């Protein structure tokens, strides 16, 4: 099966989960995660009309997306990997959405760079719902304060929360926690759900799922 058949399968899977959860069709945005795949592997998905893509590395994205953006209008690019201070300027220049704000330093640098470039990417705060040592993200008990300081100290508009549940755990409780934290922090959107669990994430209220291998195959 090629990537476009798999794209259609995932789109059908999303509609089915929305219906099952009693949500409106089209409530959930599909971010096709194209990290590690080259332009010629991504192009069939662009040709099928999909425009929303996610990447986890700024440098890799700079190498492939400027050309693709020239060829295909209205691409929306999401940064879903960790953001380092020295890449903030490049990230603001290239990405329409950043899912991985997780510390003061990055919030401050983003705010400054957004003013400088006159750009307003949509922003998510990443939450380490499993409190895993090696994983990026704010601890759950700090989320409300951090979102407040993004807003009030740095003037950033935060649209939602993002999480990557621990690899070896049932993701349901993590999705439920993220939803609860979002309500508490007064943000609308939930970036959660990947190839293995996007339908479950939609049941828990996800507004954007990030799906890579289910469309492009194993990395
Ligand atoms: C790679 C990645 C995904 C996609 O994972 P798949 O299992 O291939 O769907 C989603 N979110 C983040 C943050 C990623 O790094």
């Amino acid at each position: 099966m090629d990537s476009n058949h798999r794209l259609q399968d995932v789109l059908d899977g999303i509609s089915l989960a929305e219906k099952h959860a009693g949500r409106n069709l089209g409530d959930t945005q599909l971010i096709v995660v194209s990290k590690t795949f080259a332009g010629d592997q991504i192009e069939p998905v662009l040709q099928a009309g999909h425009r929303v893509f996610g990447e986890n590395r700024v440098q890799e994205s700079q190498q492939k997306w400027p050309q693709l953006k020239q060829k295909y209008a209205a691409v929306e690019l999401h940064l879903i990997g960790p953001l380092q201070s020295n890449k903030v300027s490049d990230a603001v220049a290239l990405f329409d959405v950043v899912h991985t704000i997780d510390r003061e330093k990055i919030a401050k640098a983003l705010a400054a760079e957004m003013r400088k470039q006159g750009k307003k990417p949509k922003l998510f705060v990443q939450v380490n719902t499993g409190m895993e040592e090696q994983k990026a993200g704010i601890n759950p008990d700090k989320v409300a304060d951090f979102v407040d300081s993004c807003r009030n100290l740095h003037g950033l508009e935060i649209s939602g929360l993002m999480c990557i549940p621990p690899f070896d755990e049932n993701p349901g409780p993590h999705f439920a926690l993220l939803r609860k934290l979002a309500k508490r922090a007064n943000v609308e959107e939930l970036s959660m759900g990947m190839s293995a669990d996007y339908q479950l994430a939609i049941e828990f209220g996800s507004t954007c799922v990030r799906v890579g291998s289910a469309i492009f195959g194993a990395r």
Side-chain angles (χ1 to χ4, degrees), residues 34-46:
S34 49
K35 67 186 185 199
T36 77
F37 293 99
D40 59 350
Q41 290 165 293
I42 301 170
E43 283 207 41
V45 178
L46 284 159

Side-chain angles (χ1 to χ4, degrees), residues 55-128:
E55 289 280 346
N56 70 335
R57 292 216 163 90
V58 175
Q59 203 167 351
E60 179 187 339
S61 312
Q62 283 176 310
Q63 282 158 10
K64 58 190 190 194
W65 279 101
Q67 287 124 298
L68 292 171
K69 276 185 156 188
Q70 264 191 351
K71 204 161 157 192
Y72 300 90
V75 166
E76 185 180 302
L77 213 50
H78 293 237
L79 179 63
I80 60 170
L83 182 54
Q84 312 301 333
S85 318
N86 63 346
K87 293 277 191 269
V88 166
S89 166
D90 292 336
V92 169
L94 186 61
F95 288 93
D96 303 290
V97 187
V98 177
H99 289 244
T100 50
I101 303 173
D102 67 350
R103 52 195 192 276
E104 279 298 331
K105 193 178 167 194
I106 288 296
K108 190 175 172 197
L110 264 173
E113 201 54 46
M114 285 164 59
R115 276 192 297 274
K116 193 168 150 195
Q117 296 188 29
K119 291 190 77 180
K120 270 193 96 182
K122 190 166 156 177
L123 304 174
F124 288 75
V125 165
Q126 183 173 355
V127 183
N128 189 358

Side-chain angles (χ1 to χ4, degrees), residues 1-11 213-217:
M1 212 162 53
D2 63 21
S3 59
N4 279 340
H5 280 101
R6 289 189 297 246
L7 170 67
Q8 195 52 55
D9 279 352
V10 171
L11 289 169
S213 49
I215 292 163
F216 289 113

Side-chain angles (χ1 to χ4, degrees), residues 31-35 37 54-56 79-82 99-100 126 162-164 191 193-198 209-219:
I31 303 167
V32 171
V33 177
S34 49
K35 67 186 185 199
F37 293 99
E55 289 280 346
N56 70 335
L79 179 63
I80 60 170
H99 289 244
T100 50
Q126 183 173 355
M162 176 272 214
C163 76
I164 310 169
S191 167
M194 317 196 334
S195 289
D197 54 23
Y198 70 90
V209 293
R210 313 176 306 263
V211 178
S213 49
I215 292 163
F216 289 113
R219 287 181 293 271

